[in-house]
Amino acid sequence: NRAELLASVGRTNEALADFDTAIEQMPEDAELAVLRGQLRHRLRRFKPAMEDLTRALKLDPQNAAARTARGNVLAELGAFQQALAEFQQAIAVDPQWGEAYRSAAWLLATCPDRRFRNPQHAWQAAQQAARLGTPDDPFIWEALAAASASGGRFDQAVRYQQRALQAAGQYRNRAGELRLALYQQSQP
């Protein structure tokens, strides 16, 4: 619990040390491996993140969070086909896991490789993420905005991105502001 709290306030080195200790004490806990993998991913330590997430799946093959997190890492590494396969497997394992839909929507809407873009599927996945998520989740609003923009619905994208920024509150970031500016200029 302390590791999660430390990570949430940006004390990542301390959080990693706590995760290491917890995993040493409870090596069969898949959730700990997922959490450390997600933190390593945020720190752009992709190889150790993949090792943690793969370990989590060996411990619990039905872990949708681990599959989704692996997909997110793979997407950042440019392995888009594998990332989509991970998201699809996460959804197959747990059709109520909204994070998998959100991650799939984002990739299908924004993938730098046009072969993997699919505005219609991005929109469907974003809508499902919204149905399963909470109304104050800025990441879901951003997925809805990106999916809208990818389909050329820029007025809608602007509204969703504004909601994302509002939901982010004090955690608003420059990237979200830049996306809003793009949508206002009718650019995905």
Side-chain angles (χ1 to χ4, degrees), residues 32-187:
L32 285 173
V34 171
L35 292 170
R36 187 173 69 179
Q38 289 171 328
L39 178 58
R40 286 175 162 171
H41 175 216
R42 281 199 327 251
L43 296 171
R44 305 191 65 74
R45 297 178 186 169
F46 299 125
K47 184 177 180 193
M50 286 297 285
E51 290 168 358
D52 281 338
L53 299 168
T54 299
R55 175 189 179 146
L57 287 169
K58 285 181 182 172
L59 294 168
D60 178 9
Q62 303 299 309
N63 192 315
R67 288 250 176 246
T68 303
R70 272 176 52 100
N72 290 331
V73 173
L74 288 164
E76 285 205 56
L77 293 172
F80 305 121
Q81 187 67 46
Q82 290 173 281
L84 285 172
E86 289 287 354
F87 301 146
Q88 291 166 347
Q89 288 177 18
I91 291 167
V93 165
D94 184 356
Q96 301 302 306
W97 184 245
E99 290 295 312
Y101 292 100
R102 184 187 58 78
S103 291
W106 187 262
L107 183 59
L108 292 166
T110 67
C111 188
D113 184 337
R114 291 183 179 273
R115 293 175 298 161
F116 295 97
R117 287 192 210 155
N118 187 320
Q120 182 180 2
H121 288 146
W123 177 244
Q124 291 168 349
Q127 285 183 305
Q128 186 64 7
R131 279 191 285 277
L132 296 170
T134 59
D136 59 345
D137 185 336
F139 298 113
I140 291 174
W141 290 109
E142 286 206 325
L144 287 163
S148 296
S150 74
R153 297 181 306 278
F154 295 105
D155 290 341
Q156 186 177 12
V158 167
R159 286 193 304 276
Y160 286 139
Q161 188 63 29
Q162 288 170 333
R163 287 287 303 266
L165 293 170
Q166 180 183 12
Q170 68 182 21
Y171 299 105
R172 286 173 79 139
N173 61 38
R174 181 87 175 118
E177 299 283 351
L178 290 173
R179 280 190 289 278
L180 176 60
L182 286 172
Y183 302 153
Q184 289 170 331
Q185 297 168 20
S186 299
Q187 295 180 31

